[in-house]
Amino acid sequence: MRMDALSRLVRLSLARERKGAFFSAFGVAMGVGALVFFLGLGLGVGRVIREKIFPTDARLVDVVPSAVSLGSLLGGGKLDAATVERLAALPGVEATYRKMNVRVPAVTRYDGVFFGARLRMGMEVLAVGVEPGLVKDDVKLGEFKDPSEGQPIPALVSTRLLELYNKTFAPARKLPQLSANMIVGFGFPVEFNRSYVAATTGGPTGAAQTQVVGASDRAMLAGITIPLETAVRINRQAGVDAETFTGVTLVASDPSRVPAIVDAVKGMGLEIDDQERRMAENTGAAVALVTSALALLSILICILAAVNIAHALSASVRARAKEIGVMQAVGASRADVRGIVLAEAAVVGLFGGAAGTALALLMAFGVNRLAVSQLPNFPFKPDSFFSFPWPVVVGGVLLGLVAALAGAYFPARRAAATDPARTLAG
């Protein structure tokens, strides 16, 4: 059967059964629309978790000394220079970056103008020293190295800490909100080996000026990140451990090498600091579980739509039995009859799938607009709660087509099996 003849027959059949076709397409649209909507929501929330709340790099492995292990009892399990060399020599390790906490307490007392507002505040400060290579792409001012005498200490702040400040601390204290570029060059005093709440060491107290040189995802969340040489110098001046490192970040040559590197690190009596990675995985798993449950409900709606199409086409085939018999009598083959029924279902399915997908996109747009105007400006609030990659959009339309064809399979076979002689004889 020629395509133009097939399209004309399908158009006439759908026009005659437009009420049934409409409700069949409506059922497909509801199922597809719900599925695309919930998949987009799950992908969007998952993207926020991965990129903003718990940003992780699949190639990084954070090594920390084991608190209690057989290795540490036998002299291993600590991060000294020799251990760092062994870590750097592991197969698959491309680079190593050492870290050392400032092992004395520190405070800052700020009294002055803070970006146009008056601020007077004192607080405890945590600090960690890292090698410049780990954060070189985030340094926007000067060089990230131990300063000479009288120069401010370069410091990086966490992008997540900046987000928390902007969405919680700043509104509560009526302070200005800041961007990563605005804080570059801002300076504040820090006194090392001094604390409001904790005991200090017997070493001297050191006062220094600190200057923010950028914001980084790899910076310490609840504190400041300074050059490793500076942390070593401060610890040495305070008379505390300045030889062993708090952690070492390993950069794998490829993410596929990470499991072997982790096993080798644990074999050395060391541990992997994967707390944030596990939190990201657990949160992502919870989002995926909820999304899967809602997607399953949407697929069930699609199955019900397919059943509805099967019933509608079965009734249509029975009502058109004589018409089908006449077509077969004048030369239509069984394949032609089967093709007509499947083509009708395909048109309904494509229309329903496209309408459902468009409805999901429209609803997502409406939810985003409503969230912007009604929801408070909470930390890590995304510009969009949804993500619709093209496979999801195309898959939604194709799912409508597949559901309709599945529902039309048996009615099409039944129509093709019609005996024209018996049907026309009544």
Side-chain angles (χ1 to χ4, degrees), residues 1-7 9 327 332-333 336-337 339-340:
M1 184 179 291
R2 294 184 308 177
M3 186 60 64
D4 58 342
L6 177 62
S7 63
L9 287 173
M327 285 192 297
S333 65
D336 292 334
V337 174
I340 292 172

Side-chain angles (χ1 to χ4, degrees), residues 119-143:
L119 178 64
R120 182 178 182 183
M121 183 178 64
M123 61 183 297
E124 298 283 322
V125 175
L126 299 177
V128 61
V130 302
E131 290 194 85
L134 183 63
V135 293
K136 62 181 180 180
D137 294 334
D138 301 313
V139 177
K140 306 301 181 183
L141 179 66
E143 295 183 84

Side-chain angles (χ1 to χ4, degrees), residues 259-302:
I261 294 174
V262 169
D263 291 339
V265 168
K266 291 181 178 179
M268 295 172 58
L270 301 169
E271 292 183 355
I272 304 299
D273 183 11
D274 58 351
Q275 181 179 1
E276 288 202 0
R277 192 183 302 272
R278 282 182 287 140
M279 291 178 66
E281 291 175 352
N282 292 339
T283 308
V287 172
L289 180 62
V290 175
T291 303
S292 299
L294 296 173
L296 178 60
L297 178 62
S298 304
I299 292 174
L300 291 177
I301 297 175
C302 291

Side-chain angles (χ1 to χ4, degrees), residues 9-25:
L9 287 173
V10 170
R11 186 170 62 253
L12 291 174
S13 297
L14 291 177
R16 183 172 51 194
E17 301 287 341
R18 56 181 176 271
K19 185 176 180 180
F22 172 79
F23 283 109
S24 296

Side-chain angles (χ1 to χ4, degrees), residues 86-164:
R86 291 172 58 198
L87 290 171
L90 292 176
V93 174
E94 185 177 279
T96 59
Y97 298 106
R98 300 166 296 169
K99 299 180 181 180
M100 181 183 291
N101 286 345
V102 174
R103 294 185 166 105
V104 293
V107 298
T108 179
R109 291 182 289 182
Y110 188 86
D111 186 1
V113 178
F114 182 77
F115 296 95
R118 183 71 182 180
L119 178 64
R120 182 178 182 183
M121 183 178 64
M123 61 183 297
E124 298 283 322
V125 175
L126 299 177
V128 61
V130 302
E131 290 194 85
L134 183 63
V135 293
K136 62 181 180 180
D137 294 334
D138 301 313
V139 177
K140 306 301 181 183
L141 179 66
E143 295 183 84
F144 196 70
K145 64 179 183 179
D146 190 30
S148 57
E149 187 69 26
Q151 295 298 313
I153 299 173
L156 290 167
V157 298
S158 171
T159 52
R160 290 177 292 171
L161 180 62
L162 187 61
E163 176 75 8
L164 292 172

Side-chain angles (χ1 to χ4, degrees), residues 47-62:
R47 181 189 60 192
V48 174
I49 293 172
R50 292 190 308 271
E51 297 179 0
K52 292 189 174 183
I53 302 178
F54 301 111
T56 56
D57 188 331
R59 297 174 57 209
L60 299 185
V61 179
D62 291 319

Side-chain angles (χ1 to χ4, degrees), residues 71-344:
S72 62
L73 294 176
L74 297 178
K78 64 179 181 178
L79 288 175
D80 52 15
T83 304
V84 173
E85 291 182 3
R86 291 172 58 198
L87 290 171
L90 292 176
V93 174
E94 185 177 279
T96 59
Y97 298 106
R98 300 166 296 169
K99 299 180 181 180
M100 181 183 291
N101 286 345
V102 174
R103 294 185 166 105
V104 293
V107 298
T108 179
R109 291 182 289 182
Y110 188 86
D111 186 1
V113 178
F114 182 77
F115 296 95
R118 183 71 182 180
L119 178 64
R120 182 178 182 183
M121 183 178 64
M123 61 183 297
E124 298 283 322
V125 175
L126 299 177
V128 61
V130 302
E131 290 194 85
L134 183 63
V135 293
K136 62 181 180 180
D137 294 334
D138 301 313
V139 177
K140 306 301 181 183
L141 179 66
E143 295 183 84
F144 196 70
K145 64 179 183 179
D146 190 30
S148 57
E149 187 69 26
Q151 295 298 313
I153 299 173
L156 290 167
V157 298
S158 171
T159 52
R160 290 177 292 171
L161 180 62
L162 187 61
E163 176 75 8
L164 292 172
Y165 163 83
N166 283 332
K167 301 299 174 61
T168 57
F169 187 82
R173 299 294 183 91
K174 294 182 174 53
L175 294 173
Q177 295 196 1
L178 308 174
S179 67
N181 292 329
M182 286 176 61
I183 61 175
V184 173
F186 174 72
F188 57 95
V190 177
E191 296 179 68
F192 293 100
N193 201 19
R194 180 181 175 85
S195 174
Y196 298 128
V197 294
T200 60
T201 67
T205 299
Q209 187 73 10
T210 304
Q211 185 177 49
V212 178
V213 296
S216 173
D217 288 337
R218 297 179 179 177
M220 185 181 192
L221 175 59
I224 57 175
T225 299
I226 62 177
L228 176 64
E229 295 177 352
T230 305
V232 172
R233 173 172 58 81
I234 293 170
N235 286 335
R236 186 174 290 121
Q237 290 174 350
V240 297
D241 181 12
E243 302 299 328
T244 60
F245 303 101
T246 306
V248 176
T249 297
L250 307 180
V251 181
S253 57
D254 188 84
S256 62
R257 307 296 296 271
V258 169
I261 294 174
V262 169
D263 291 339
V265 168
K266 291 181 178 179
M268 295 172 58
L270 301 169
E271 292 183 355
I272 304 299
D273 183 11
D274 58 351
Q275 181 179 1
E276 288 202 0
R277 192 183 302 272
R278 282 182 287 140
M279 291 178 66
E281 291 175 352
N282 292 339
T283 308
V287 172
L289 180 62
V290 175
T291 303
S292 299
L294 296 173
L296 178 60
L297 178 62
S298 304
I299 292 174
L300 291 177
I301 297 175
C302 291
I303 293 174
L304 291 176
V307 172
N308 179 58
I309 290 174
H311 281 295
L313 287 178
S314 295
S316 176
V317 167
R318 287 194 298 269
R320 295 155 53 193
K322 288 189 177 182
E323 177 186 328
I324 294 173
V326 169
M327 285 192 297
Q328 290 178 320
V330 297
S333 65
R334 291 189 173 186
D336 292 334
V337 174
R338 187 184 303 114
I340 292 172
V341 177
L342 290 177
E344 293 176 12

